[in-house]
């Protein structure tokens, strides 16, 4: 394909008048290279063609002899000026239209972004509420299991010791007794339990990314607490050497491990942690065991505290 050869003198005249070379070439080619006036008339008739500013191409190029430049009359100048003015206005209108479209799109994008943000915040709020509800329900169920087990252990001990079981009324009223026990120790147990729970939450936060190490610490603390609860009179179970390598590795080196034991009643005595026999609080130890069990079995333990800190 070739760019057709047109009258160079007429092409130069059209370019001097301000027409792009591609438009001038197309006008001369399709008007027959006859005159400047014919070329301008062709441009007037085809000014809305979508390809008016594309260089024309032909299969075979035909040589066209250049003639003397055609005299540019005042009428031709006016037509050329009118065409240029129309083209300028068309471009301005098109640019304004495109700018309006772009502004509309920016506004719509802003609205979509705000809506997406609102939905994300609402979903996050619902998720927090769901997690908080699930954690409370799990803790409630675990607490009820512990209290029921305590009551059952009490009945078993009375049975083994040959003490009266207070008839069938004792069994039937076990739920009532559990509720009474909860009421009597509500303030004390709630306060201590929350302190123990917050201590474990802090330990978990202080060692993010070390889930296996944190779980091992919880398990070790549960062993210490459980052993004391089962053998309250044995001092060897109530005494922990602070520099014991095993203790250091599993509990002592973690920020919050020793603090948890101190909340359970252990006291620093020289190089040891000691829980004096007269200060043993079985309710507190049972509460500590419950909190540790919850920390290991409840998948939501500490999640909300972590999200809001």
């Amino acid at each position: 394909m070739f760019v057709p050869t047109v009258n160079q003198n007429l092409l130069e005249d059209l370019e001097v008048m301000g027409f792009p070379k591609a438009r001038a070439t197309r006008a001369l080619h399709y008007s027959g290279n006859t005159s400047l006036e014919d070329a301008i008339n062709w441009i007037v008739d085809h000014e809305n063609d979508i390809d008016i500013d594309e260089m024309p191409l032909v299969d075979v190029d035909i040589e066209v002899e250049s003639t003397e430049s055609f005299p540019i009359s005042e009428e031709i100048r006016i037509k050329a000026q009118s065409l240029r003015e129309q083209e300028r206005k068309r471009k301005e209108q098109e640019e304004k239209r495109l700018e309006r479209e772009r502004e509309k799109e920016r506004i719509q994008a802003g609205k979509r972004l705000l809506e997406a943000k609102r939905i994300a915040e609402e979903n996050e709020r619902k998720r927090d509420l769901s997690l908080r509800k699930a954690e409370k329900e799990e803790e409630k169920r675990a607490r009820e299991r512990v209290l029921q087990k305590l009551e059952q252990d009490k009945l078993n001990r009375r049975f083994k010791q040959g003490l009266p079981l207070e008839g069938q009324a004792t069994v039937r009223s076990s739920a009532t007794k559990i509720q009474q026990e909860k009421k009597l120790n509500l303030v004390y147990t709630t306060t201590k339990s929350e302190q123990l729970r917050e201590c474990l939450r802090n330990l978990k936060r202080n060692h993010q990314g070390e889930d296996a190490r944190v779980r091992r610490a919880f398990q070790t603390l549960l062993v210490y607490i459980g052993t004391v609860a089962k053998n309250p009179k044995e001092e060897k179970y109530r005494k922990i050497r602070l520099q014991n390598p095993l203790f250091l590795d599993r509990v002592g080196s973690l920020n919050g491990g020793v603090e948890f034991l101190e909340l359970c009643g252990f006291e620093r005595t020289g190089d040891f942690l000691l829980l004096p026999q007269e200060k043993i609080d079985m309710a507190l130890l049972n509460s500590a065991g419950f909190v540790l069990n919850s920390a290991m079995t409840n998948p939501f333990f500490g999640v909300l505290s972590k999200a809001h800190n």
Side-chain angles (χ1 to χ4, degrees):
M1 301 293 286
F2 303 92
V3 175
T5 301
V6 296
N7 189 303
Q8 292 300 310
N9 291 329
L10 295 178
L11 180 62
E12 291 176 2
D13 287 341
L14 287 172
E15 289 184 302
V16 168
M17 295 171 68
F19 293 107
K21 185 173 183 178
R23 184 181 297 195
T25 301
R26 182 176 285 272
L28 288 170
H29 173 68
Y30 287 112
S31 66
N33 285 292
T34 54
S35 67
L36 195 62
E37 185 174 9
D38 288 344
I40 291 177
N41 286 333
W42 187 92
I43 292 174
V44 171
D45 293 337
H46 297 81
E47 63 176 333
N48 294 322
D49 291 0
I50 60 174
D51 59 351
I52 192 169
D53 287 323
E54 295 180 6
M55 187 66 74
L57 298 174
V58 295
D59 294 327
V60 180
D61 189 22
I62 301 175
E63 188 71 24
V64 177
E65 295 183 359
S66 296
T67 61
E68 294 183 0
S69 179
F70 188 84
I72 302 174
S73 65
E74 185 63 25
E75 181 181 358
I76 292 176
R77 291 182 185 279
I78 292 174
K79 282 186 178 181
Q81 178 63 30
S82 175
L83 287 174
R84 289 195 297 273
E85 184 63 21
Q86 289 177 14
E87 180 64 14
R88 184 185 65 79
K89 289 181 179 180
R90 185 188 69 79
K91 288 182 177 179
E92 287 182 354
Q93 290 175 353
E94 180 65 15
E95 180 59 31
K96 289 180 180 179
R97 184 186 69 79
L98 291 176
E99 181 59 30
R100 287 195 298 270
E101 292 296 327
R102 287 192 291 268
E103 182 62 23
K104 288 181 181 179
E105 179 58 28
R106 285 194 292 269
I107 292 173
Q108 291 299 323
K111 289 181 178 180
R112 290 193 294 270
L113 181 62
L114 289 174
E115 179 63 13
K117 183 179 179 182
R118 184 192 67 78
I119 293 174
E121 290 176 348
E122 179 65 17
N123 289 338
E124 181 66 18
R125 186 185 68 81
K126 290 180 179 179
R127 175 179 172 275
D128 286 349
L129 289 175
S130 177
L131 289 174
R132 186 178 295 277
K133 181 179 179 181
E135 181 177 351
K136 287 183 177 179
E137 289 178 350
E138 176 61 25
E139 290 181 352
K140 179 181 178 182
R141 287 192 294 269
R143 187 180 298 109
E144 289 175 350
R145 288 195 296 268
V146 171
L147 290 171
Q148 289 172 1
K149 188 176 186 307
L150 289 174
E151 183 64 19
Q152 186 61 46
D153 289 345
K154 179 180 176 181
L155 292 174
N156 291 339
R157 286 195 301 271
R158 293 181 65 86
F159 177 77
K160 290 178 180 180
Q161 295 171 3
L163 298 175
L165 299 181
E166 301 178 3
Q168 296 299 322
T170 301
V171 177
R172 290 195 299 268
S173 63
S174 59
T176 303
K177 288 185 177 182
I178 291 174
Q179 292 298 324
Q180 291 174 346
E181 182 180 340
K182 289 169 64 177
K183 290 179 181 179
L184 290 174
N185 298 290
L186 180 61
V187 176
Y188 174 81
T189 304
T190 300
T191 301
K192 283 293 185 179
S193 294
E194 187 55 37
Q195 290 176 350
L196 292 167
R197 186 176 293 107
E198 186 61 27
C199 180
L200 294 184
R201 286 172 176 163
N202 287 333
L203 190 152
K204 192 172 183 180
R205 282 197 297 269
N206 291 332
H207 298 279
Q208 292 183 29
E210 301 179 82
D211 292 348
R213 190 180 178 201
V214 169
R215 183 173 181 79
R216 188 176 63 175
F218 290 171
Q219 292 171 338
T220 304
L221 287 170
L222 185 59
V223 170
Y224 283 129
I225 298 303
T227 303
V228 173
K230 292 178 181 178
N231 305 278
K233 296 181 179 181
E234 295 288 339
E235 182 177 335
K236 63 180 180 180
Y237 296 123
R238 295 183 282 105
K239 192 173 184 180
I240 303 171
R241 187 162 61 88
L242 289 169
Q243 297 305 315
N244 182 299
L246 183 62
F247 174 78
L248 279 175
D249 178 54
R250 297 193 171 197
V251 177
S253 60
L254 277 74
N255 189 357
V258 173
E259 180 186 350
F260 185 86
L261 290 171
E262 289 177 332
L263 287 172
C264 293
F266 280 83
E267 300 175 354
R268 292 177 184 265
T269 304
D271 295 331
F272 293 88
L273 279 175
L274 176 65
L275 177 55
Q277 184 174 356
E278 66 275 9
K279 292 187 177 181
I280 293 177
D281 186 336
M282 296 303 294
L284 177 58
L285 294 178
N286 286 326
S287 180
F290 160 72
V291 173
L292 284 164
N293 269 312
S294 177
M296 290 187 292
T297 59
N298 181 5
F300 304 104
F301 185 85
V303 174
L304 292 176
S305 295
K306 181 179 177 182
H308 292 292
N309 278 279

